[in-house]
Amino acid sequence: MHVAILLPCYNEEQRLERTVHRLEELARSWRSATLSVVVVDDGSTVPAALEPQGGVADVYLLRHPSNLGQGAALQTGVAFALRLVPSVDAFVTMDADGQHDPESVRTFCEHLDQHAMDIVFGNRFLAGRSEDMPRSRALILRAACVFERWVTGLKLGDAHNGFRVFNHSVATALDLKQDRMAHATEFKQLVAKHRFRYAELPTSIAYNTQVLAKGQSNLGSFYILKDLVKAYFFNG
Amino acid sequence: MFQVVFVAFILLLLSIDAVFVTKGAWRSQRLYMVILLGACVVAIAPRYFTPVAEGLGVGRLVDVVLYFTTVILVRELFISRARYVRLERRLTLLGRGVALEGVQQLARRRFGKD
């Protein structure tokens, strides 16, 4: 199985390097898979610098000339991975700041393969609510989940979880026009539109101080809503 | 009193624009000046324009101006927003092209792994 792991990053500094090293450890232990790590630096003020350990995974670095947004970075990563190896079996999207557990990559890819799914979404609530997750964040995510169910019709229990694994069909159909954070909803709209087979699996998210400081604020949900409304009227 | 303040404000705007606004696009600048000076004239002597408004079936000329201004501004807003969205999309595609052209391979997998 050839797995392309897409890591969009913006000013992640040391966190990115730690995530890549953890992915290399995964590549070392997962002998039946070939891993390609595609880092997309989304115009960081200090360009991402990486020193992979080497030998176990292919690591590629792409740079956007300016900050275009996480959705744009993911689409760039997918475009590159499709060009790189046309036979990639699984595409993984995860955050570069270390909030997602790299070990989940293996579980998700195996589920995708064994259950003939097109896409597997991560669900942080299936793993039991993290004690570190702020209460306000949990509330907003629940509201976003209800909204996404209404918009897409998909019965999913989490919203805006950046951890997902999908196959070649989804990657080929993917054409994210939401450059910023609203791409997560666009992903689900795509799945609904093409009637892709989907599932969700528990995934843990580490809400440490760095993740909370650097990640989205609760206000971000209003910007996502604004982007979706804007796209509805102007992208059509 | 209002007329004096209004005319002074418009003249101030025109003076600032004449000094600081970059030169070029003379036709649009002249049109802009004519519109503002016209507003001055209407503010100073509104009674001369009331018959025009009544001829159009509106009580005051200022209402005619407000109706047209509102419609034009809303139209401009929508056109500008649509243009901005298209421009943003082109910028994204351009940035993606640059990223794909300049890709670096930082580590290469060895066959058979260790």
Side-chain angles (χ1 to χ4, degrees), chain A residues 6-224:
Chain A
L6 315 173
L7 289 178
C9 69
Y10 177 68
N11 288 344
E12 294 299 351
E13 299 159 5
Q14 303 302 317
R15 292 183 291 270
L16 170 67
E17 185 129 28
R18 276 200 295 272
T19 304
V20 171
H21 285 173
R22 288 179 70 192
L23 287 168
E24 287 181 310
E25 283 167 24
L26 172 73
R28 195 168 284 117
S29 63
W30 190 9
R31 301 185 70 86
S32 59
T34 302
L35 259 62
S36 295
V37 180
V38 180
V39 178
V40 184
D41 179 2
D42 188 26
S44 298
T45 45
V46 178
L50 271 174
E51 280 185 34
Q53 289 162 356
V56 286
D58 294 323
V59 182
Y60 300 92
L61 175 64
L62 291 88
R63 290 186 210 279
H64 281 169
S66 62
N67 183 231
L68 298 173
Q70 196 187 55
L74 278 178
Q75 185 62 49
T76 300
V78 170
F80 175 70
L82 281 171
R83 270 191 199 183
L84 175 70
V85 188
S87 62
V88 169
D89 301 295
F91 298 75
V92 181
T93 68
M94 59 187 285
D95 288 5
D97 59 4
Q99 64 172 279
H100 295 128
D101 180 10
E103 272 302 316
S104 300
V105 172
R106 188 173 184 163
T107 320
F108 275 58
C109 287
E110 284 170 355
H111 191 91
L112 186 87
D113 187 40
Q114 289 163 8
H115 294 84
M117 289 291 157
D118 292 308
I119 185 164
V120 182
F121 292 98
N123 183 333
R124 76 197 89 187
F125 297 107
L126 286 177
R129 186 174 165 265
S130 166
E131 289 302 313
D132 304 323
M133 187 198 294
R135 202 166 285 275
S136 59
R137 179 69 56 92
L139 203 66
I140 286 172
L141 285 170
R142 290 292 189 192
C145 202
V146 171
F147 172 76
E148 285 193 340
R149 278 188 187 200
W150 175 62
V151 170
T152 64
L154 303 188
K155 290 179 174 52
L156 292 165
D158 197 358
H160 290 263
N161 188 323
F163 197 94
R164 53 182 94 76
V165 177
F166 47 92
N167 65 10
H168 205 272
S169 308
V170 175
T172 312
L174 196 68
D175 180 22
L176 293 174
K177 290 190 170 63
Q178 288 288 355
D179 286 349
R180 288 176 281 271
M181 300 311 291
H183 71 271
T185 307
E186 202 183 358
F187 247 107
K188 291 177 182 171
Q189 286 173 319
L190 177 92
V191 171
K193 184 182 167 191
H194 292 271
R195 297 175 185 274
F196 286 128
R197 286 156 298 175
Y198 66 95
E200 58 182 352
L201 289 179
T203 181
S204 59
I205 292 186
Y207 284 99
N208 54 43
T209 46
Q210 283 182 330
V211 167
L212 288 172
K214 171 84 181 22
Q216 283 189 80
S217 69
N218 290 340
L219 196 65
S221 53
F222 292 102
Y223 292 119
I224 290 170

Side-chain angles (χ1 to χ4, degrees), chain A residues 27 30-31 33-34 50 55 58-61 63 65 72 75-76 80 175 179-180 234-235, chain B residues 78 81-82 85 88-89 92 95-96 99-100 103-110 112-114:
Chain A
W30 190 9
R31 301 185 70 86
T34 302
L50 271 174
D58 294 323
V59 182
Y60 300 92
L61 175 64
R63 290 186 210 279
Q75 185 62 49
T76 300
F80 175 70
D175 180 22
D179 286 349
R180 288 176 281 271
F234 293 103
N235 277 357
Chain B
F78 273 80
R81 174 58 76 177
V85 168
E88 216 176 21
R89 182 85 190 130
T92 301
R96 182 163 300 138
L100 291 169
V103 62
Q104 297 172 48
Q105 182 161 14
L106 302 178
R108 193 181 293 274
R109 179 176 47 89
R110 288 195 297 271
K113 296 187 209 174
D114 52 14

Side-chain angles (χ1 to χ4, degrees), chain B residues 10-94:
Chain B
I10 286 180
L11 291 177
L12 179 71
L13 281 183
L14 285 174
S15 319
I16 291 170
D17 294 346
V19 176
F20 295 107
V21 172
T22 50
K23 300 288 182 285
W26 282 107
R27 281 185 187 155
S28 69
Q29 282 188 15
R30 254 181 271 169
L31 178 66
Y32 167 70
M33 286 174 78
V34 166
I35 290 170
L36 288 198
L37 290 172
C40 281
V41 175
V42 173
I44 292 165
R47 63 181 179 279
Y48 294 116
F49 298 93
T50 306
V52 180
E54 284 171 351
L56 291 168
V58 183
R60 297 175 308 165
L61 193 66
V62 72
D63 290 337
V64 178
V65 174
L66 277 178
Y67 293 151
F68 278 102
T69 308
T70 307
V71 170
I72 290 167
L73 282 180
V74 169
R75 181 180 176 274
E76 279 300 313
L77 186 74
F78 273 80
I79 289 174
S80 305
R81 174 58 76 177
R83 197 171 289 154
Y84 175 75
V85 168
R86 282 201 300 273
L87 207 62
E88 216 176 21
R89 182 85 190 130
R90 282 187 205 160
L91 191 69
T92 301
L93 295 176
L94 191 67

